[in-house]
Amino acid sequence: MATKTKIQWCDSTVNPIMGCGGCELFPSPADVLGSIDESLSGIDGWSSGKSRVIFRELISNAFARIANPLEGHSKAVSTTNIWHLREEFYSAVSTLSGPVAAKAAEGSVARSMTCYAALLHLNKARNIANPERGFNIGYAPAFERVTRFQDRVWAMARKRDLRALNDPKKPWLDGMPRLIFVSDMGDAFSRESDFGFLEEEVIEPIRSAEGQRHFWLWLTKRPDRMARFGERIGGFPQNVCAMTTVTGPDRLDRIDQLRGVPASVRGLSLEPLWERVPPTELNLEGISWVIVGGESGRKEFVRPFDLSWAQELRDHCGERNVAFFLKQLGRRPVFEGEEIALRDGHGGDWSEWPEDLRVREVPKEFRTRVSAFLTLRCAELEAPAIYPPINIARKKRAAQPSKE
């Protein structure tokens, strides 16, 4: 949970569930290995399936050296283990097929795994290559190990209302309720078996008097599962924006699935945008918000982001009265055919952008969906007596990740 965040389109973040069942930003081990084999196809001494053979041996040897394996240590050929043993793998590839092949393998792995939430877990959770490294208990033991955390959303609901405050670093949010990004460090809809937990630990605090003072932005790459959850709870509260991620034209089906989510407000995160999404293919019916951004990461492996993509999406949103928010230009922005260098490595400082792209709009619904009843009682609700302390037993349980 982060009361303050650098993410430009929200004030705070909260994660009732950490980890993810996988997506295009954190693919399955089979997809990562397949990408490596494809990048090395045609190189002497390489054949399809060889990457799996090498990683299986590296992982087996690393796991055998761990005297007391802990939760998160795994002997499986997992995406996490591939990442942690990647340097040993590149060395093996160099020995077998030369440094050019090793560099190609490095690029393949880097482009396969671009999820910032996963990369943080890879740096803070268990690591079979460094088994003695400390484990941050606020994270899942491994990103694939989807883990529940109790009381986080209840604690966030108790945070102060922000409608009367202004943030000079985020002036586009002035006058808004606290905008809380749910699930920036995983996907809460990775498993349908978590529905009961999400109803108790997310929906109940959002529906509480404290929770209704804020607006909650719930992002998933599984909008079909989000829709089934929404039906189960009788529709999402009015102060929730149901959102999904689209990284390119091959993920546009998620938007149709999102339209099936019973929510009063829906949004799209077109970030990182890897390819142009033609406006003619972007159906914004039932969509209130579109966030756009380029890819971050090591420049040599990052895909370029053409500013013309953002310009035409901005115009497309404007024509349909949909709020448009350009979050960042990414590591490799391209303007009028030329790659441009920015001081901000993420391209998030809009003072460096062309003026016509300095657009960060927030839907008016985020204000109007916070009820007039709560507006009248805002001062009263801020009184400390309104917030009883979290039950000690619940607080102790919250420190221990719960999972299935």
Side-chain angles (χ1 to χ4, degrees):
M1 183 173 74
T3 304
K4 290 187 177 182
T5 176
K6 292 182 180 180
I7 298 173
Q8 291 89 340
W9 48 271
C10 61
D11 298 294
S12 308
T13 63
V14 66
N15 289 275
I17 287 178
M18 302 280 269
C20 178
C23 68
E24 67 271 26
L25 303 182
F26 188 74
S28 69
D31 287 340
V32 177
L33 297 173
S35 176
I36 294 171
D37 286 339
E38 183 178 355
S39 70
L40 299 181
S41 63
I43 292 179
D44 289 343
W46 200 265
S47 58
S48 178
K50 198 172 188 67
S51 60
R52 178 176 288 276
V53 172
I54 296 173
F55 267 116
R56 186 183 294 122
E57 181 177 0
L58 291 171
I59 291 167
S60 179
N61 291 340
F63 188 81
R65 291 192 294 268
I66 303 176
N68 298 298
L70 300 171
E71 185 180 15
H73 291 147
S74 168
K75 193 177 179 180
V77 180
S78 65
T79 304
T80 288
N81 284 344
I82 288 172
W83 180 262
H84 286 150
L85 292 168
R86 66 194 187 282
E87 295 298 336
E88 290 87 340
F89 175 75
Y90 304 150
S91 178
V93 172
S94 182
T95 299
L96 287 169
S97 303
V100 173
K103 191 66 175 179
E106 182 183 5
S108 180
V109 173
R111 282 186 287 270
S112 292
M113 295 158 64
T114 59
C115 174
Y116 80 91
L119 293 173
L120 280 173
H121 273 80
L122 291 166
N123 287 328
K124 294 179 180 294
R126 301 292 186 198
N127 180 349
I128 65 170
N130 183 11
E132 302 303 320
R133 185 182 72 175
F135 167 53
N136 189 317
I137 61 172
Y139 286 74
F143 198 59
E144 298 95 335
R145 192 74 61 90
V146 178
T147 306
R148 301 172 178 178
F149 292 85
Q150 291 180 304
D151 290 322
R152 287 184 170 182
V153 181
W154 284 105
M156 182 59 73
R158 293 183 169 94
K159 299 298 181 182
R160 69 179 302 179
D161 178 35
L162 297 180
R163 281 172 293 176
L165 301 178
N166 295 329
D167 184 348
K169 294 182 179 180
K170 298 179 182 179
W172 45 86
L173 300 185
D174 287 353
M176 288 285 170
R178 182 185 294 273
L179 301 184
I180 303 169
F181 181 179
V182 181
S183 293
D184 71 309
M185 294 298 295
D187 196 328
F189 292 103
S190 291
R191 306 178 302 197
E192 201 147 335
S193 59
D194 288 321
F195 279 9
F197 172 83
L198 294 175
E199 188 169 0
E200 178 181 345
E201 290 288 335
V202 181
I203 297 303
E204 285 186 20
I206 288 177
R207 284 177 173 159
S208 70
E210 296 94 338
Q212 289 183 60
R213 297 170 306 139
H214 313 309
F215 208 92
W216 306 77
L217 315 168
W218 201 344
L219 183 66
T220 181
K221 294 183 179 67
R222 295 167 173 81
D224 53 338
R225 193 168 289 164
M226 176 184 264
R228 291 195 293 275
F229 176 72
E231 294 295 338
R232 169 188 169 117
I233 63 173
F236 282 90
Q238 293 286 304
N239 59 327
V240 171
C241 180
M243 303 178 68
T244 194
T245 299
V246 174
T247 52
D250 59 333
R251 305 292 172 176
L252 290 173
D253 61 316
R254 289 177 180 163
I255 304 177
D256 288 330
Q257 295 169 358
L258 183 69
R259 272 189 277 271
V261 175
S264 61
V265 189
R266 304 181 188 89
L268 302 178
S269 174
L270 276 62
E271 188 216 357
L273 194 58
W274 291 340
E275 300 178 61
R276 175 179 178 258
V277 174
T280 54
E281 298 180 17
L282 185 63
N283 180 358
L284 295 179
E285 181 181 356
I287 305 299
S288 299
W289 202 19
V290 172
I291 300 169
V292 175
E295 186 177 35
S296 300
R298 286 177 58 181
K299 189 171 184 178
E300 59 187 313
F301 300 132
V302 165
R303 282 151 281 220
F305 176 71
D306 196 316
L307 302 196
S308 67
W309 303 348
Q311 290 169 327
E312 60 184 2
L313 290 172
R314 174 205 59 201
D315 295 343
H316 183 61
C317 289
E319 292 165 1
R320 285 153 183 79
N321 198 31
V322 172
F324 176 83
F325 193 107
L326 185 56
K327 176 180 178 285
Q328 63 183 45
L329 305 188
R331 185 68 168 168
R332 292 185 58 196
V334 174
F335 183 56
E336 296 181 348
E338 298 289 335
E339 191 168 315
I340 57 177
L342 302 175
R343 294 184 300 277
D344 184 334
H346 297 282
D349 181 357
W350 73 349
S351 69
E352 297 188 83
W353 304 356
E355 287 192 19
D356 69 309
L357 283 177
R358 298 175 191 175
V359 181
R360 284 175 170 164
E361 300 171 332
V362 180
K364 62 182 183 300
E365 292 96 327
F366 291 7
R367 288 191 180 94
T368 60
R369 293 296 190 274
V370 175
S371 70
F373 170 75
L374 286 172
T375 300
L376 292 172
R377 292 191 58 204
C378 181
E380 178 186 353
L381 285 169
E382 289 295 334
I386 293 298
Y387 312 124
I390 297 174
N391 180 276
I392 296 300
R394 286 173 60 88
K395 197 167 186 179
K396 287 181 179 178
R397 290 200 305 272
Q400 300 298 321
S402 168
K403 59 186 182 301
E404 288 189 356

